Amino acid sequence: MSVFASPRFLPNVMWADAVSCAATGALQVAFTDALARLTGLPAPLLMGTGVFLLAYAAAAAFMATRRMPPRTLIGLVVAGNFGWAVACVALLMSGLFAVTVLGMAWVLAQALCVVVLAELQWTGLRRTRGSANMALA
């Protein structure tokens, strides 16, 4: 059996999303001022996105605990993750802030992480489509 075909694949990806967002959010909330100095990103942006990431991590963890993951919500998560990546790149390209090299790495790491997660989530949704339809029958 392929790892992608496992019934635990999608919940495991959601757990990875929850953990990565919780860690990033906690860092941004706990060390807002230090990160602002190191990255060149504004403290309110770091704090706001940090709080959002913590709330999102709780929602992702909830989705991961479901026996049948909520497909519609996970579809929204996929779109949101791709949107987050686009926003990260747009932030860097905008030139609005004097982002340091570390700041660029911080933002690009987030973009890369969410693109990988979104692709894995999308793969999990496609692979579980048949089992979701069978569960409804």
Side-chain angles (χ1 to χ4, degrees), residues 1-12 124 127-128 131:
M1 171 187 278
S2 164
V3 69
F4 298 111
S6 166
R8 293 298 313 150
F9 178 75
L10 192 51
N12 287 342
R127 298 290 175 139
T128 60
S131 62

Side-chain angles (χ1 to χ4, degrees), residues 45-80:
L45 177 67
L46 289 166
M47 177 61 79
T49 55
V51 169
F52 171 81
L53 287 170
L54 290 172
Y56 170 79
F62 171 78
M63 288 181 242
T65 64
R66 305 296 88 192
R67 187 174 157 280
M68 279 300 265
R71 296 177 57 77
T72 301
L73 288 178
I74 294 176
L76 291 172
V77 164
V78 170

Side-chain angles (χ1 to χ4, degrees), residues 6-22:
S6 166
R8 293 298 313 150
F9 178 75
L10 192 51
N12 287 342
V13 173
M14 291 309 296
W15 275 121
D17 200 356
V19 169
S20 68
C21 287

